[in-house]
Amino acid sequence: MASLKDVALLSGVSPSTVSRAINSPQMVDPNTLKNIRSAMKKLNYRPNLMASGLRSKSSKQIALVVPDAVHYTSASVIQHSSQILQELGYTLILGNHHNQFETEAELLSNYFRRNIDGIILYLIFDESRAVQSLLAQEERQIPIVVVGRRINVAPLFNVSVDNHKAGLLAGEYLGSLGHKSVATITGPMMTQWARDRLDGFREGLSKYQVDLSWIYSQEGLGDFETGIAAAKQFLEEYRGKSRPTAIWAQNDIMATGLLRHFTLCNISIPQELSLLGMDDIELATMVTPSLSTIHQPLRELAQTAIEIIMKYRVDEAASIPSYYSIDPFLVVRESSAPPPTQ
């Protein structure tokens, strides 16, 4: 049976370099890494990950905690994280707190007792009780990355889309099409990301002299049922009156709920009413008409979070920014158009 020293000899490097290629491949020169992996394949070498983990105090496991594993955005983050970690030889441990404060805190407490290499928190509550629990861990050596929203508490790392810019792009786009009366379905306004998106939306519309007093806003929970309920309330609000000609929903799930109900009510999209979403999940291309949206780079968010953990594991004192902002961008499809002529 081939040993680590055999791999080192065949690839022309030291055993420590082979060990580094197994445990921290991102720290090895790409050409050297390619040669080592080629040697491992030729020798049919299989590293003992358990022993490796004990020597390096690494379990090769990273925990990902999400609010709802079956939600489209959470599922996408899970899929991307799993693929990236698998390529690095790591295992993903998934925690689903079902939007419960207590469950979230219990999951994190459990992970602190395990030998894991890092924790990724996706869409943590702004008022999360877990934050104080995390900070209370004085002996904590586990890097923690909050993804999807910003928690300005050191020493947590943050990776988030620029939510203000997302709203800005939405407002500028609808304004550029000529819409002067618009509506928006926000996320929960208790969250900073929803407020940032709304502020950006208003700023983008103001660039096109849209009367901001015309903005009709509803607060949503981010699910399909919220979209349907918002559509019903919207139609009731404007029964017998001139209604807005465009709606921006702060996620694609709510936008598809809007689309479903408006279609059942024989309201033509986008001839009578334009719809714009946010996230650019796969569903946006599957509905009819396909959904114009603001793309949220979920894979890049997951990739950046994992890179932060890997850098921290190699050198805790490394200069790692506490906050990474990733730009969204507009994706135009079939659900948006200029307003109907009066």
Side-chain angles (χ1 to χ4, degrees):
M1 181 180 296
S3 68
L4 185 145
K5 290 183 179 180
D6 295 328
V7 175
L9 183 63
L10 181 60
S11 54
V13 298
S14 67
S16 62
T17 300
V18 176
S19 179
R20 191 178 304 113
I22 295 169
N23 294 296
S24 302
Q26 75 281 359
M27 301 301 297
V28 178
D29 176 79
N31 289 329
T32 302
L33 183 62
K34 182 178 180 181
N35 290 336
I36 292 172
R37 287 178 172 172
S38 176
M40 291 171 63
K41 185 175 181 180
K42 289 180 180 177
L43 295 171
N44 196 29
Y45 174 73
R46 295 290 183 271
N48 186 332
L49 292 180
M50 179 65 75
S52 175
L54 292 172
R55 285 193 297 270
S56 64
K57 296 183 180 181
S58 169
S59 64
K60 311 294 286 186
Q61 296 178 326
I62 289 177
L64 170 64
V65 181
V66 300
D68 183 357
V70 299
H71 191 279
Y72 276 89
T73 53
S74 292
S76 182
V77 171
I78 293 169
Q79 179 184 13
H80 294 315
S81 299
S82 178
Q83 290 175 343
I84 294 167
L85 288 172
Q86 186 175 23
E87 292 171 1
L88 295 173
Y90 278 70
T91 299
L92 176 71
I93 301 175
L94 179 63
N96 185 359
H97 59 68
H98 306 285
N99 290 302
Q100 300 296 317
F101 284 114
E102 294 79 7
T103 304
E104 179 189 53
E106 288 172 3
L107 284 170
L108 293 173
S109 177
N110 178 50
Y111 293 148
F112 272 118
R113 293 193 296 268
R114 302 175 62 172
N115 179 34
I116 61 175
D117 293 346
I119 299 175
I120 300 172
L121 303 176
Y122 179 61
L123 293 183
I124 192 172
F125 298 110
D126 286 6
E127 302 79 9
S128 175
R129 301 171 192 171
V131 171
Q132 295 305 319
S133 173
L134 297 174
L135 300 180
Q137 304 289 331
E138 296 181 358
E139 302 301 322
R140 177 172 60 82
Q141 299 297 319
I142 302 174
I144 301 166
V145 186
V146 176
V147 174
R149 62 186 58 168
R150 186 170 184 175
I151 304 294
N152 295 312
V153 180
L156 302 179
F157 299 104
N158 292 260
V159 182
S160 176
V161 70
D162 186 334
N163 285 299
H164 184 274
K165 184 172 183 180
L168 184 70
L169 290 172
E172 289 178 339
Y173 173 60
L174 295 179
S176 71
L177 289 176
H179 294 279
K180 297 301 182 184
S181 175
V182 299
T184 181
I185 313 301
T186 72
M189 292 304 289
M190 63 183 289
T191 59
Q192 186 62 49
W193 62 265
R195 298 193 295 271
D196 288 345
R197 290 180 187 182
L198 181 58
D199 288 344
F201 187 55
R202 295 174 66 89
E203 181 181 331
L205 290 169
S206 68
K207 294 183 178 182
Y208 290 86
Q209 291 74 53
V210 176
D211 182 359
L212 298 183
S213 65
W214 271 92
I215 293 182
Y216 172 74
S217 177
Q218 288 187 51
E219 183 176 0
L221 298 177
D223 56 10
F224 183 77
E225 290 73 19
T226 288
I228 292 177
K232 292 178 179 178
Q233 186 175 336
F234 175 84
L235 294 179
E236 183 62 29
E237 177 74 20
Y238 289 96
R239 184 184 299 274
K241 298 186 293 186
S242 177
R243 62 181 177 236
T245 57
I247 302 178
W248 178 45
Q250 285 193 359
N251 76 15
D252 291 342
I253 298 296
M254 292 192 297
T256 55
L258 290 166
L259 177 60
R260 168 68 174 170
H261 188 72
F262 290 145
T263 300
L264 290 175
C265 293
N266 296 315
I267 295 174
S268 180
I269 308 295
Q271 289 78 10
E272 296 179 61
L273 179 66
S274 285
L275 292 181
L276 181 65
M278 166 85 193
D279 287 333
D280 195 21
I281 59 177
E282 186 178 8
L283 182 63
T285 64
M286 299 167 65
V287 295
T288 303
S290 57
L291 189 64
S292 294
T293 188
I294 307 297
H295 177 86
Q296 182 170 198
L298 295 175
R299 181 177 179 84
E300 189 174 350
L301 291 174
Q303 176 81 48
T304 303
I306 292 170
E307 288 176 354
I308 290 172
I309 292 173
M310 296 302 175
K311 289 178 182 178
Y312 186 96
R313 292 293 302 177
V314 172
D315 182 5
E316 294 177 20
S319 178
I320 305 174
S322 62
Y323 178 61
Y324 289 78
S325 178
I326 300 177
D327 286 338
F329 56 85
L330 173 68
V331 178
V332 177
R333 296 195 179 99
E334 301 168 341
S335 68
S336 55
T341 56
Q342 302 298 327

